[in-house]
């Protein structure tokens, strides 16, 4: 349920680091389950600079509007246009077609501040009790 090749934030975002100094960002399976059916996503513009752990957008579901926080800092290289048209892809495939932005990393070392899949699952386990 939580791919081991990703890094996770305590705010329930994930990052997939590429070998080219870029990364994909999205929300986790847990986050999309908590939100319910996603109906709208507000993403930063291409060229925008996002900062680690700061708000980078919003996601709206039938239940609520939630902020999306950047798990890493950098320049937005691309946004998932398909997601803008069909936001429910986040519910169906949060780690694949549900990616939100591609970022040119400002500091690859920031990933060390994030959790691996095991630590993230442990955090979720503690949160449920």
């Amino acid at each position: 349920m939580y791919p081991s090749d990703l890094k996770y934030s305590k705010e329930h975002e994930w990052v997939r680091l590429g070998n080219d100094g870029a990364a994909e960002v999205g929300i986790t399976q847990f986050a999309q389950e908590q939100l319910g059916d996603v109906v709208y996503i507000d993403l930063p513009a291409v060229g925008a600079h996002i900062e680690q752990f700061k708000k980078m957008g919003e996601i709206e579901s039938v239940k609520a509007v939630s902020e999306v926080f950047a798990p890493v800092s950098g320049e937005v290289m691309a946004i998932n246009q398909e997601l803008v048209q069909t936001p429910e892809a986040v519910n169906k495939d949060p780690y694949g077609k549900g990616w939100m932005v591609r970022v040119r990393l400002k500091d690859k070392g920031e990933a060390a501040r994030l959790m691996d899949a095991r630590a993230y699952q442990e955090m979720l386990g503690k949160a449920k009790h």
Side-chain angles (χ1 to χ4, degrees):
M1 187 184 294
Y2 299 100
S4 61
D5 64 325
L6 305 179
K7 293 287 195 171
Y8 300 87
S9 72
K10 65 180 177 22
E11 291 86 11
H12 310 290
E13 286 84 22
W14 58 261
V15 61
R16 178 178 291 119
L17 301 169
N19 294 329
D20 58 355
E24 282 184 345
V25 171
I27 64 167
T28 66
Q29 178 75 23
F30 176 82
Q32 72 82 19
E33 287 171 357
Q34 297 301 304
L35 284 165
D37 294 334
V38 174
V39 295
Y40 177 76
I41 299 176
D42 180 36
L43 298 172
V46 171
H49 290 273
I50 58 174
E51 292 295 321
Q52 188 175 41
F53 306 131
K54 304 269 192 211
K55 179 182 171 183
M56 71 169 206
E58 290 184 338
I59 189 165
E60 185 177 336
S61 71
V62 293
K63 293 183 185 178
V65 175
S66 297
E67 294 181 333
V68 178
F69 297 93
V72 290
S73 301
E75 180 183 349
V76 176
M77 299 165 51
I79 63 169
N80 186 345
Q81 290 294 340
E82 186 176 321
L83 204 58
V84 173
Q85 301 300 318
T86 55
E88 63 274 11
V90 166
N91 297 115
K92 295 176 184 150
D93 189 10
Y95 303 114
K97 291 182 180 179
W99 68 273
M100 295 182 171
V101 296
R102 283 200 180 98
V103 179
R104 182 175 296 109
L105 298 173
K106 181 174 160 184
D107 177 2
K108 290 182 188 177
E110 285 182 340
R113 297 186 195 136
L114 302 172
M115 293 174 271
D116 62 16
R118 183 175 176 185
Y120 182 69
Q121 287 177 286
E122 287 174 7
M123 181 194 79
L124 291 177
K126 290 175 185 163
K128 291 178 185 174
H129 299 294

